[in-house]
PDB file of all heavy atoms in Angstrom:
ATOM      1  N   LYS A  13       5.256   6.567  -0.433  1.00 98.00           N
ATOM      2  CA  LYS A  13       5.178   7.608   0.604  1.00 98.00           C
ATOM      3  C   LYS A  13       6.265   7.412   1.658  1.00 98.00           C
ATOM      4  O   LYS A  13       6.942   8.354   2.043  1.00 98.00           O
ATOM      5  CB  LYS A  13       3.794   7.573   1.301  1.00 98.00           C
ATOM      6  CG  LYS A  13       2.634   7.856   0.395  1.00 98.00           C
ATOM      7  CD  LYS A  13       1.303   7.798   1.129  1.00 98.00           C
ATOM      8  CE  LYS A  13       0.970   6.435   1.680  1.00 98.00           C
ATOM      9  NZ  LYS A  13       0.842   5.372   0.675  1.00 98.00           N
ATOM     10  N   SER A  14       6.408   6.165   2.109  1.00 98.00           N
ATOM     11  CA  SER A  14       7.401   5.910   3.166  1.00 98.00           C
ATOM     12  C   SER A  14       8.817   6.051   2.622  1.00 98.00           C
ATOM     13  O   SER A  14       9.728   6.424   3.361  1.00 98.00           O
ATOM     14  CB  SER A  14       7.202   4.519   3.769  1.00 98.00           C
ATOM     15  OG  SER A  14       5.914   4.458   4.346  1.00 98.00           O
ATOM     16  N   GLN A  26       9.416   1.046   7.491  1.00 95.00           N
ATOM     17  CA  GLN A  26       9.120  -0.099   6.618  1.00 95.00           C
ATOM     18  C   GLN A  26       8.732   0.354   5.216  1.00 95.00           C
ATOM     19  O   GLN A  26       7.877   1.242   5.048  1.00 95.00           O
ATOM     20  CB  GLN A  26       7.977  -0.883   7.221  1.00 95.00           C
ATOM     21  CG  GLN A  26       8.404  -2.265   7.671  1.00 95.00           C
ATOM     22  CD  GLN A  26       7.213  -3.056   8.112  1.00 95.00           C
ATOM     23  OE1 GLN A  26       6.360  -2.534   8.829  1.00 95.00           O
ATOM     24  NE2 GLN A  26       7.149  -4.305   7.708  1.00 95.00           N
ATOM     25  N   THR A  33       1.683  -1.290   3.814  1.00 93.00           N
ATOM     26  CA  THR A  33       2.917  -1.574   4.542  1.00 93.00           C
ATOM     27  C   THR A  33       2.938  -0.695   5.793  1.00 93.00           C
ATOM     28  O   THR A  33       3.276  -1.146   6.879  1.00 93.00           O
ATOM     29  CB  THR A  33       4.141  -1.252   3.656  1.00 93.00           C
ATOM     30  OG1 THR A  33       4.019  -2.005   2.459  1.00 93.00           O
ATOM     31  CG2 THR A  33       5.443  -1.592   4.360  1.00 93.00           C
ATOM     32  N   THR A  34       2.566   0.546   5.619  1.00 93.00           N
ATOM     33  CA  THR A  34       2.513   1.461   6.765  1.00 93.00           C
ATOM     34  C   THR A  34       1.117   1.401   7.381  1.00 93.00           C
ATOM     35  O   THR A  34       0.122   1.511   6.665  1.00 93.00           O
ATOM     36  CB  THR A  34       2.776   2.914   6.315  1.00 93.00           C
ATOM     37  OG1 THR A  34       3.992   2.932   5.580  1.00 93.00           O
ATOM     38  CG2 THR A  34       2.865   3.866   7.495  1.00 93.00           C
ATOM     39  N   ASN A  38       4.373   7.488  10.715  1.00 96.00           N
ATOM     40  CA  ASN A  38       5.790   7.732  11.011  1.00 96.00           C
ATOM     41  C   ASN A  38       5.982   9.238  11.107  1.00 96.00           C
ATOM     42  O   ASN A  38       5.613   9.956  10.178  1.00 96.00           O
ATOM     43  CB  ASN A  38       6.673   7.225   9.865  1.00 96.00           C
ATOM     44  CG  ASN A  38       6.550   5.725   9.663  1.00 96.00           C
ATOM     45  OD1 ASN A  38       6.725   4.954  10.601  1.00 96.00           O
ATOM     46  ND2 ASN A  38       6.242   5.304   8.440  1.00 96.00           N
ATOM     47  N   ASP A  77       4.291  10.603   7.804  1.00 97.00           N
ATOM     48  CA  ASP A  77       3.962   9.662   6.720  1.00 97.00           C
ATOM     49  C   ASP A  77       2.840   8.773   7.244  1.00 97.00           C
ATOM     50  O   ASP A  77       2.959   8.209   8.330  1.00 97.00           O
ATOM     51  CB  ASP A  77       5.225   8.841   6.411  1.00 97.00           C
ATOM     52  CG  ASP A  77       4.947   7.540   5.676  1.00 97.00           C
ATOM     53  OD1 ASP A  77       4.137   7.557   4.725  1.00 97.00           O
ATOM     54  OD2 ASP A  77       5.554   6.505   6.031  1.00 97.00           O
ATOM     55  N   VAL A  78       1.756   8.686   6.500  1.00 94.00           N
ATOM     56  CA  VAL A  78       0.609   7.920   7.003  1.00 94.00           C
ATOM     57  C   VAL A  78       0.294   6.728   6.096  1.00 94.00           C
ATOM     58  O   VAL A  78       0.882   6.574   5.027  1.00 94.00           O
ATOM     59  CB  VAL A  78      -0.646   8.819   7.158  1.00 94.00           C
ATOM     60  CG1 VAL A  78      -0.404   9.929   8.160  1.00 94.00           C
ATOM     61  CG2 VAL A  78      -1.087   9.381   5.814  1.00 94.00           C
TER      62      VAL A  78
HETATM   63 MG1   MG B 502       4.185   3.415   3.704  1.00 92.33          MG
END
Side-chain angles (χ1 to χ4, degrees):
K13 298 180 296 299
S14 299
Q26 246 186 316
T33 304
T34 307
N38 298 307
D77 160 44
V78 298

